[in-house]
Amino acid sequence: MSIFNEDFLWGGAIAANQYEGGYQEGGKGLGPVDLLPNKDENRVHVMYHPELAMKEKFNYYPSHQAIDGYHYFKEDIAMFAEMGFKCLRMSVSWPRIFPNGDEETPNEAGLKFYDELFDECLKYNIEPVVTLNHFDTPIYLYEKYDGWTNRKLIDFFVRYASVMFNRYKGKVKYWLTFNEINILQVLPFLGGSFDPEKFENPLQTKYQAAHHQLVASALATKLAREIDPANKIGCMLAAGEAYPNTCNPNDIWAAKMLDREGFFFIDVQVRGKYPSYSRRFFEEQQLEIKQEKEDAEILKNTVDFIGFSYYSTKVVSADEQVLSSSEKTDGNIFSSLENPYLPKSEWGWIIDPMGLRITMNTLYDRYQVPLFVVENGLGAVDKPNEAGIIEDDYRINYLSEHIQAVGEAVKDGVEVWGYTPWGCIDIISAGTGQMSKRYGFIYVDLDDNGVGSFKRSKKASFDWYKQVIASNGEKVGRNNDEF
Ligand code: P53
């Protein structure tokens, strides 16, 4: 008997801006990612300086063609079905539905695309798990309204959400409102199409934008339930426990404070009100968040489950000297000190399967609502062997250990609805814009400059994951040994 429920949602995850391409097809408007170059043209720097994204012309924009999912989706979904996917997590591109974002009526051509995409999933009994906003707030809203800093965005988002819930009633049941909502603190351009540096008080601007997203998320949650009580709505947190560097209480406190930066968002989304610690934080930072009278009531519309991404844990110190002298791991937007006990990926991300079990236990202890692992995986360079096959043992190892950690969490008593590893087919990296940072079970022939045949092929991990799903998580070992 598997420790996973019979209806456990095994699948994979992708996002429109990294998968679809077709950036102007069917009348699509632009999203922030459409203005970002790849790594060679300093993508990370541009993400932090949106004015560069707006005015510079770059040689290559990876999102414009991405892996051309816009035209390949039928082929791709057939391969997901072959692996036995029970669900597919994807996002809808907001600017495909509302090219500017503030229109009264949606773009029918954009909706037609998702009609077909969802129908194709349903044909194979693959349950769509849909993120409404995955780094995709229309760029027109950046230009005209300064994105989520503006309260008007709430109405625009709710209008878009309402179109989705009505159109896909009975077809889509699982919804996530904002991808990695806490990313707003680090990458506000991606998370909310705005530039805090344009404002007098950048921190206040970020929390004001966060407030608008939290209200919008709660209103969408309410609406989703009204339109179809069968809908299940989740929040989505970029998770990964913060570890103290030592047992010095100051380090323990620093770790706790770092975790709270993320929990702040889902505290509101799961508990329906601002957490008590936020009062002191706002006071000390002298932040004044403008709230309307009705907001407190709106926020009471809490989510059904917690979706979260997990790639690694982080190590924190309160000691300035340690911070300045020790090496920091790079690559990940959430920076960390080195963890001497753990290996790292080729991109410097700490690999910590036990950390997934810890993170899940923390989340469940804190909230007691079901969890959904909607992102997890290893970005790695894949090279075909002499026979032309990609033997991605490193990826199998990573996923195997992480699935076992999820299994341990289930045994610990944590309720988990599903597991959707990130980039189940190779897609563009959000952080670096590279194609060579691959996560998939399916290889896509394309390089960092967008050159290639787009041909899809199976990696060794394809058959391995198929076996994991077929055994409902019982055969997760490298050689399909029992868990
Ligand atoms: P990549 C880092 C940077 C940007 C987005 O990241 C991120 C992270 C990691 O927390 O979050 C998620 O592609 C995101 C996905 C993204 C994935 O991490 O830089 O939800 O869109 O692709 C992996 O390797």
Side-chain angles (χ1 to χ4, degrees), residues 13-25:
I14 52 176
N17 74 82
Q18 291 159 266
Y19 170 72
E20 289 175 8
Y23 84 116
Q24 285 182 318
E25 286 188 60

Side-chain angles (χ1 to χ4, degrees), residues 185-340:
Q185 285 158 335
V186 246
L187 289 171
F189 185 53
L190 279 194
S193 284
F194 68 98
D195 180 2
E197 299 305 326
K198 278 167 61 178
F199 295 80
E200 211 180 287
N201 186 339
L203 190 64
Q204 166 146 328
T205 306
K206 283 193 211 173
Y207 275 93
Q208 187 65 58
H211 179 69
H212 295 148
Q213 290 197 346
L214 291 166
V215 171
S217 176
L219 281 170
T221 302
K222 178 168 182 278
L223 196 64
R225 282 204 187 102
E226 284 164 6
I227 292 171
D228 187 353
N231 276 330
K232 302 281 180 218
I233 321 297
C235 54
M236 190 334 195
L237 174 77
E241 191 101 354
Y243 296 158
N245 193 41
T246 70
C247 53
N248 183 326
N250 292 329
D251 284 350
I252 311 285
W253 185 251
K256 195 175 183 64
M257 293 303 273
L258 184 62
D259 276 336
R260 275 182 175 174
E261 282 182 18
F263 290 152
F264 163 80
F265 292 85
I266 63 169
D267 277 350
V268 180
Q269 290 174 297
V270 183
R271 296 166 166 167
K273 58 180 185 348
Y274 274 66
S276 44
Y277 58 80
S278 64
R279 182 194 296 254
R280 177 171 184 174
F281 174 74
F282 289 147
E283 266 169 26
E284 288 183 353
Q285 300 291 329
Q286 296 180 316
L287 306 184
E288 269 179 52
I289 311 303
K290 220 171 152 241
Q291 304 207 18
E292 297 302 324
K293 269 204 308 292
E294 65 271 22
D295 290 359
E297 204 51 39
I298 292 171
L299 293 177
K300 288 182 186 160
N301 294 287
T302 55
V303 294
D304 298 301
F305 69 97
I306 297 172
F308 69 96
S309 62
Y310 176 85
Y311 293 92
S312 61
T313 44
K314 24 196 184 298
V315 180
V316 193
S317 171
D319 186 331
E320 288 299 331
Q321 249 183 331
V322 173
L323 288 174
S324 57
S325 64
S326 60
E327 265 189 47
K328 288 208 184 109
T329 65
D330 56 0
N332 200 327
I333 42 154
F334 299 101
S335 73
S336 166
L337 298 174
E338 298 281 352
N339 188 326

Side-chain angles (χ1 to χ4, degrees), residues 15 17-18 89 134-135 179-180 183 187 190 236 238 309 311 331-334 349 375 379 422 427-432 437 439:
N17 74 82
Q18 291 159 266
R89 175 182 175 230
H134 193 130
F135 307 158
N179 180 64
E180 294 189 333
I183 207 161
L187 289 171
L190 279 194
M236 190 334 195
S309 62
Y311 293 92
N332 200 327
I333 42 154
F334 299 101
W349 294 22
E375 279 184 37
W422 179 249
I427 49 180
I428 305 290
S429 155
T432 70
K437 190 180 185 189
Y439 287 85

